Amino acid sequence: MNRLSFLVLWKTVFLGCFVVGISGFYLPGLAPVNYCKKSSQLAPTCKTDVELFVNRLNTEESIIPYEYHHFDFCVAESEENRSPSENLGQVVFGERIRPSPYKLHFMEDMACETVCVKNYTGKNPDDAKKLALLKKGMMLNYQHHWIVDNMPVTWCYYIEYGGQCCIPGFPMGCFVGEYRRQEDICNMNNIYRNPRTFYLFNHIELVITYHSGENEDWGSAFGPNGGRIVSVKATPKSINHRSFGCVSKEPMAIKQAPLTPDETLTIKYTYSVKYINNNTVKWSSRWDYILESMSHTNIHWFSILNSLVIVLFLSGMVAMIILRTLHKDIARYNQIDSGEDVQEEFGWKLVHGDVFRPPRKGMLLSVFLGSGLQIFFMTLVTLGFACLGFLSPANRGALMTCAMVVYVCLGTIAGYTSARMYKSFGGEKWKSNVLLTSMLCPGMVFSLFFVMNLI
């Protein structure tokens, strides 16, 4: 075998291994999960139970999030053993993912399944506190955040001009004040109309859409008994189950006034599940409907171009003024002939002594310059990983984890830049420069968040 044939053989083997590796490649945290019916023969090779996790509740009207168990909702038994592990980014963002008491089985529809029943009495102080906390959450429009198959459970509603908006999460309830406002969530249904009344969404209708794998390589082993989940949509409802169960038209109304000692309140939490087959949406594009329906994710090209034009126009004006001034000063310099006139400084020569003069706060300038470069390169590297797809929203907490790890690794750039700049200023306190570069900006951010958490 000659040398040319040997090289061709090695190239062929290398390309073959590369192609084989690419065919089975998935980014970290993005591998699909195959589900199948519990009664099918494929049950041991795929998942039959669809796990539903609950996350912390938040609102746009307050900066304080609460864990799911902070409110008096139904909780799962032995949840600590089934709670998924959280990475650094999830902890920093305040995510607290816990298992839920909702039991879901793939391709098994459920109707009006009871989760739990909560009873409140007016003479029990603990019940009064729990009920007051529920009212506070509905007053501030706190939102549930559920997770199924590593996807957020979305709430889709119709907006103006016949469009549909799907957002991650759904409200825990709504409140009708003295007068109904246009932006109130209670306007979604006319039955929520009584003033000074809370309406708790104690019934959730889940619609799970899946791809059966028809005409796909991965679905050949499942047939009609399996698939992959592509969307989970929730419709919250307020139902008083005491009359006709889940088909009751009477909402779960809670008066704004506290319960009297003789009053009792019973809240029953239920849910329904429906599975829909949709082979037009692939698993790889299952996030698209969320991104496309959110209006604020659209790029405002007109605003960007308008800002660029204004910046270019103002920069051109400043450049013209500077050029005219320089041209005038240079013309005056060229007209000077006598040596006595040369000693007189005017125009731009008046600032030549200030250009190379060390600043009075050279230490702070060098420290902030090093920290600024560290943050700039951290943003650049994080955006690079995000553009490559490693920081997908399916990989929860990856964005913040990557940003913090890259920030720590780029401390060398901050230290080198700060020390080099400080030395050019003639500084001699290099130990203080090292300590301030590594601790000043992170210490300020840590102190700010620490004080905010205390408040």
Side-chain angles (χ1 to χ4, degrees):
M1 181 182 295
N2 55 21
R3 184 177 180 182
L4 180 60
S5 301
F6 181 77
L7 291 176
V8 171
L9 177 62
W10 272 107
K11 288 182 179 180
T12 305
V13 173
F14 175 76
L15 290 176
C17 295
F18 182 75
V19 171
V20 171
I22 289 296
S23 63
F25 175 73
Y26 285 106
L27 294 177
L30 301 181
V33 179
N34 297 326
Y35 294 91
C36 58
K37 274 187 178 181
K38 197 171 186 178
S39 58
S40 65
Q41 298 179 354
L42 300 171
T45 62
C46 56
K47 296 185 67 174
T48 58
D49 295 333
V50 181
E51 292 184 301
L52 191 152
F53 295 96
V54 294
N55 204 345
R56 51 98 173 95
L57 287 82
N58 61 357
T59 177
E60 295 181 355
E61 301 183 16
S62 176
I63 62 174
I64 302 176
Y66 290 106
E67 285 197 47
Y68 179 82
H69 302 152
H70 183 76
F71 298 96
D72 192 28
F73 296 133
C74 304
V75 296
E77 299 178 357
S78 64
E79 60 180 26
E80 296 298 332
N81 298 330
R82 298 189 294 114
S83 297
S85 58
E86 298 168 350
N87 54 38
L88 179 62
Q90 290 176 291
V91 174
V92 172
F93 275 133
E95 293 191 5
R96 299 295 184 269
I97 302 176
R98 299 291 182 265
S100 72
Y102 297 85
K103 308 298 181 182
L104 309 179
H105 306 289
F106 190 72
M107 296 182 67
E108 292 185 11
D109 295 347
M110 300 180 181
C112 200
E113 292 288 329
T114 302
V115 186
C116 68
V117 178
K118 298 288 184 178
N119 296 309
Y120 303 93
T121 58
K123 59 183 178 181
N124 191 338
D126 293 336
D127 291 346
K129 291 181 180 179
K130 294 177 181 178
L131 195 58
L133 191 59
L134 284 175
K135 293 179 180 179
K136 178 183 177 182
M138 290 183 283
M139 177 77 74
L140 296 178
N141 190 23
Y142 270 85
Q143 306 280 322
H144 283 285
H145 293 280
W146 291 3
I147 302 170
V148 174
D149 193 34
N150 206 23
M151 272 200 73
V153 177
T154 58
W155 174 43
C156 298
Y157 56 92
Y158 291 95
I159 56 178
E160 295 179 344
Y161 310 110
Q164 188 183 43
C165 181
C166 296
I167 59 174
F170 55 91
M172 60 179 291
C174 64
F175 172 69
V176 179
E178 189 69 27
Y179 303 99
R180 297 186 67 174
R181 298 179 298 176
Q182 185 68 24
E183 64 274 10
D184 285 341
I185 299 178
C186 288
N187 288 330
M188 61 187 291
N189 199 320
N190 291 328
I191 63 175
Y192 312 138
R193 61 179 181 272
N194 294 333
R196 297 183 297 276
T197 305
F198 293 92
Y199 294 96
L200 179 67
F201 296 149
N202 58 334
H203 178 78
I204 305 298
E205 291 184 356
L206 295 174
V207 178
I208 301 178
T209 307
Y210 66 95
H211 191 293
S212 64
E214 185 179 357
N215 300 325
E216 300 286 346
D217 294 337
W218 59 267
S220 58
F222 297 102
N225 297 323
R228 293 176 178 176
I229 295 176
V230 294
S231 70
V232 182
K233 299 179 181 179
T235 303
K237 292 185 177 181
S238 179
I239 298 177
N240 194 338
H241 298 83
R242 64 182 179 183
S243 53
F244 298 100
C246 291
V247 297
S248 174
K249 300 298 183 181
E250 182 183 358
M252 187 67 244
I254 304 175
K255 296 181 180 179
Q256 185 178 9
L259 296 176
T260 61
D262 298 332
E263 283 185 312
T264 59
L265 178 65
T266 301
I267 301 177
K268 185 178 181 180
Y269 291 90
T270 57
Y271 68 101
S272 301
V273 184
K274 183 179 180 181
Y275 289 87
I276 298 177
N277 181 18
N278 185 2
N279 292 337
T280 60
V281 180
K282 293 187 177 182
W283 183 89
S284 58
S285 59
R286 62 178 185 168
W287 288 80
D288 293 351
Y289 83 99
I290 303 177
L291 301 177
E292 292 174 357
S293 64
M294 299 174 68
S295 58
H296 64 271
T297 58
N298 297 329
I299 301 176
H300 301 280
W301 292 109
F302 179 77
S303 300
I304 295 175
L305 292 177
N306 187 28
S307 301
L308 288 176
V309 170
I310 293 176
V311 169
L312 292 176
F313 177 73
L314 294 178
S315 301
M317 290 183 59
V318 173
M320 289 180 60
I321 295 173
I322 293 177
L323 287 176
R324 290 184 61 182
T325 305
L326 284 174
H327 181 73
K328 186 184 298 184
D329 290 342
I330 292 173
R332 291 182 62 185
Y333 296 151
N334 293 333
Q335 293 176 359
I336 297 175
D337 295 327
S338 61
E340 184 178 353
D341 294 336
V342 175
Q343 301 298 326
E344 298 180 3
E345 296 179 351
F346 58 89
W348 285 90
K349 286 189 176 182
L350 294 175
V351 298
H352 78 278
D354 295 330
V355 174
F356 299 102
R357 182 180 299 167
R360 289 180 296 178
K361 301 294 183 180
M363 176 72 76
L364 289 178
L365 178 61
S366 60
V367 168
F368 286 134
L369 179 62
S371 300
L373 279 178
Q374 185 180 7
I375 295 174
F376 172 76
F377 282 107
M378 176 206 70
T379 306
L380 198 64
V381 174
T382 305
L383 286 177
F385 279 112
C387 293
L388 292 175
F390 287 97
L391 305 181
S392 170
N395 197 358
R396 300 181 179 277
L399 179 64
M400 180 56 68
T401 302
C402 177
M404 297 184 69
V405 171
V406 172
Y407 179 82
V408 173
C409 294
L410 292 178
T412 306
I413 295 179
Y416 174 79
T417 305
S418 177
R420 188 67 180 266
M421 184 61 64
Y422 182 66
K423 185 178 180 181
S424 66
F425 293 155
E428 298 179 354
K429 300 179 180 179
W430 62 271
K431 294 182 180 179
S432 300
N433 179 263
V434 171
L435 292 176
L436 287 176
T437 303
S438 60
M439 299 180 63
L440 181 61
C441 291
M444 292 171 60
V445 175
F446 174 79
S447 301
L448 178 63
F449 279 93
F450 182 75
V451 173
M452 291 176 62
N453 286 331
L454 289 180
I455 297 176

